[in-house]
Amino acid sequence: MKQIGCILRLAIALCALPVAGVAADQTVHPGTYYLSETMKKLQNDDVANPGMLWVSEGEELWERPAGPEQKSCASCHQRAEETMKGVAARYPAVAEASGELFNLEKRINHCRTTHQKAEPLAYESDELLALTAFVAHQSRGLPMNVRTNGTAEPYFEAGRKRFHQKLGQLNLSCAQCHDDNAGRQLRGDTISHGLGNGYPAYRLEWQTLGSLHRRLRACSYGVRAVQFDYGSPEYLSLELYLAKRAEGLAVETPAVRK
Amino acid sequence: MARAPVRISMPSEAKKGEIIDIKAILRHPMETGYRVDRVGKKIPRNIVTELVVTYDGVEVLRWHLQPGVAANPFIGFSTVATNTGELVFTWTDDAGTVISESRTLTVT
């Protein structure tokens, strides 16, 4: 009953809010903008930020050989500080050869299976999170700049459609919260613009680092909609749309979120 | 995870008598013992119970942790630089795992 009460209150609260100020004439702020001073401090302190523990692990994994040929990430890509700089800012991206949309997690696993000939890492495993966070961290501070034209266009359009599609028992689209009501209070929290530029991020609620898809699954659950799989095409195209929304904003991985 | 990563931040050099700031974080789930898994089975408690820091063989910090402490416990503290020596950080958890890391402080 308590849960139903919560859902009702949420639905009523959202209905009562005026539908105004859509993204076009609104400055899009990163999630950090809505954090308390304490949490901003936590995110900016590389020792206190717990997400950095995964970045450190990723740094180790980068050098660790895998597969029959005992190749590590570093065997091909050498120093991540140089070769991976700016990569996260242009992901998700379409692979020229296959026309497939890749996010960082999928790209890392693609490398593992085709080049290292090793087993792929499970989505949301500490290893994959660590490598993803380590790679993304090399772009920290660089502006997000994904390609949405050419081969990426159908994915981008699918993502845009998903963002505006009403979903779940609460019949809410992403846009209704993260465009129409960003910056306003939803119970104890402030609604953000729903960007992915800090992911993988350390959420206090999770007490661990998590991927953007885990966060999207939480949103799907929140509106009582179908939760798509980790790495599913639905979330991948949405990730591309979110990355475009964050254009020009700095990569913050590993961010700290509530 | 083969090895629980630790991140420690402190200066490597200091002047004698100087107060130095030290920060340390350990990756640990801090499982409270109050949670249950998907089939309702109790997840056994596994928290870090203690962090001891010694400096040149002298204990400078002892922290008793409780189940209310969040995962990946972080601590910031300070000490006075006395002589050149090793700071040894030792965490112990309920499962009996002991994680030890050391850093050298050169005092001039």
Side-chain angles (χ1 to χ4, degrees), chain A residues 45-50 52-57 59-60 64 126-127 130 202 207-208, chain B residues 1-3 5-9 23-30 69-72 74:
Chain A
D45 183 336
D46 278 354
V47 185
N49 182 341
M52 289 303 290
L53 291 166
W54 278 261
V55 174
S56 299
E57 187 192 347
E59 198 176 348
E60 278 180 41
R64 188 182 297 172
D126 276 330
E127 285 84 0
Y202 190 91
Q207 297 274 293
T208 183
Chain B
M1 233 0 263
R3 189 180 73 92
V6 169
R7 289 177 66 86
I8 296 168
S9 150
K23 292 189 272 190
I25 187 168
L26 166 77
R27 183 152 146 204
H28 196 280
M30 293 293 284
V69 177
N72 311 310
F74 166 82

Side-chain angles (χ1 to χ4, degrees), chain A residues 55-67 69-84 87 104-121 127-136 138:
Chain A
V55 174
S56 299
E57 187 192 347
E59 198 176 348
E60 278 180 41
L61 291 175
W62 184 261
E63 308 277 344
R64 188 182 297 172
E69 289 163 43
Q70 289 294 296
K71 280 204 279 191
S72 71
C73 306
S75 313
C76 294
H77 299 286
Q78 287 90 33
R79 278 172 49 81
E81 289 78 359
E82 288 146 26
T83 57
M84 292 298 121
V87 170
L104 283 182
E105 286 90 343
K106 202 174 157 191
R107 190 66 187 79
I108 289 166
N109 264 338
H110 179 78
C111 247
R112 273 186 74 84
T113 49
T114 52
H115 303 305
Q116 292 177 295
K117 296 185 176 59
E119 286 291 307
L121 299 167
E127 285 84 0
L128 188 57
L129 284 171
L131 269 174
T132 311
F134 174 65
V135 170
Q138 307 310 320

Side-chain angles (χ1 to χ4, degrees), chain A:
Chain A
M1 275 317 285
K2 198 182 156 202
Q3 216 173 18
I4 295 169
C6 285
I7 298 167
L8 274 177
R9 275 207 300 279
L10 176 99
I12 293 164
L14 283 169
C15 292
L17 296 170
V19 180
V22 185
D25 57 316
Q26 209 178 12
T27 317
V28 174
H29 296 295
T32 309
Y33 178 85
Y34 299 108
L35 293 181
S36 66
E37 285 308 311
T38 322
M39 283 189 63
K40 276 182 199 161
K41 249 176 91 180
L42 182 64
Q43 178 173 314
N44 293 332
D45 183 336
D46 278 354
V47 185
N49 182 341
M52 289 303 290
L53 291 166
W54 278 261
V55 174
S56 299
E57 187 192 347
E59 198 176 348
E60 278 180 41
L61 291 175
W62 184 261
E63 308 277 344
R64 188 182 297 172
E69 289 163 43
Q70 289 294 296
K71 280 204 279 191
S72 71
C73 306
S75 313
C76 294
H77 299 286
Q78 287 90 33
R79 278 172 49 81
E81 289 78 359
E82 288 146 26
T83 57
M84 292 298 121
K85 196 175 175 182
V87 170
R90 55 172 197 268
Y91 263 71
V94 174
E96 289 304 323
S98 60
E100 241 186 304
L101 182 66
F102 281 93
N103 64 355
L104 283 182
E105 286 90 343
K106 202 174 157 191
R107 190 66 187 79
I108 289 166
N109 264 338
H110 179 78
C111 247
R112 273 186 74 84
T113 49
T114 52
H115 303 305
Q116 292 177 295
K117 296 185 176 59
E119 286 291 307
L121 299 167
Y123 217 99
E124 220 53 29
S125 63
D126 276 330
E127 285 84 0
L128 188 57
L129 284 171
L131 269 174
T132 311
F134 174 65
V135 170
H137 184 66
Q138 307 310 320
S139 306
R140 185 158 74 165
L142 297 175
M144 291 288 293
N145 184 22
V146 287
R147 233 188 109 200
T148 54
N149 57 2
T151 45
E153 204 178 337
Y155 295 108
F156 177 68
E157 283 310 319
R160 188 213 295 271
K161 220 176 124 189
R162 182 78 53 196
F163 190 81
H164 294 94
Q165 182 187 20
K166 289 191 173 202
L167 288 165
Q169 284 181 318
L170 297 192
N171 201 31
L172 284 170
S173 71
C174 310
Q176 280 177 288
C177 282
H178 298 288
D179 262 349
D180 300 349
N181 289 299
R184 310 183 80 149
Q185 297 299 121
L186 180 62
R187 303 184 67 203
D189 213 342
T190 311
I191 305 174
S192 75
H193 277 102
L195 308 173
N197 56 317
Y199 281 81
Y202 190 91
R203 276 189 88 204
L204 301 188
E205 185 190 323
W206 294 334
Q207 297 274 293
T208 183
L209 196 80
S211 69
L212 180 64
H213 290 200
R214 181 172 178 189
R215 184 64 191 85
L216 295 177
R217 280 171 64 85
C219 258
S220 295
Y221 180 79
V223 299
R224 308 295 181 262
V226 169
Q227 289 176 296
F228 298 111
D229 279 337
Y230 289 104
S232 65
E234 289 86 354
Y235 284 154
L236 276 173
S237 56
L238 185 56
E239 185 175 349
L240 178 63
Y241 182 71
L242 299 185
K244 179 68 180 176
R245 272 166 66 80
E247 188 164 59
L249 296 179
V251 175
E252 293 177 9
T253 311
V256 177
R257 297 287 182 262
K258 255 170 106 177

Side-chain angles (χ1 to χ4, degrees), chain B:
Chain B
M1 233 0 263
R3 189 180 73 92
V6 169
R7 289 177 66 86
I8 296 168
S9 150
M10 56 171 262
S12 55
E13 286 172 37
K15 288 205 170 68
K16 202 174 170 76
E18 195 184 326
I19 295 170
I20 56 160
D21 285 320
I22 301 160
K23 292 189 272 190
I25 187 168
L26 166 77
R27 183 152 146 204
H28 196 280
M30 293 293 284
E31 191 59 61
T32 59
Y34 297 119
R35 299 197 310 154
V36 289
D37 65 12
R38 272 159 194 237
V39 290
K41 221 180 102 201
K42 210 169 170 179
I43 305 172
R45 188 183 110 151
N46 182 22
I47 67 163
V48 175
T49 48
E50 198 175 61
L51 164 65
V52 178
V53 183
T54 60
Y55 170 25
D56 200 22
V58 181
E59 188 175 303
V60 290
L61 178 99
R62 182 176 286 263
W63 181 22
H64 293 287
L65 290 87
Q66 302 295 330
V69 177
N72 311 310
F74 166 82
I75 192 164
F77 62 99
S78 58
T79 190
V80 178
T82 50
N83 346 296
T84 298
E86 286 233 311
L87 275 101
V88 183
F89 301 72
T90 311
W91 289 266
T92 312
D93 75 2
D94 281 327
T97 316
V98 178
I99 297 139
S100 209
E101 281 276 321
S102 56
R103 296 284 185 277
T104 307
L105 180 70
T106 309
V107 176
T108 52

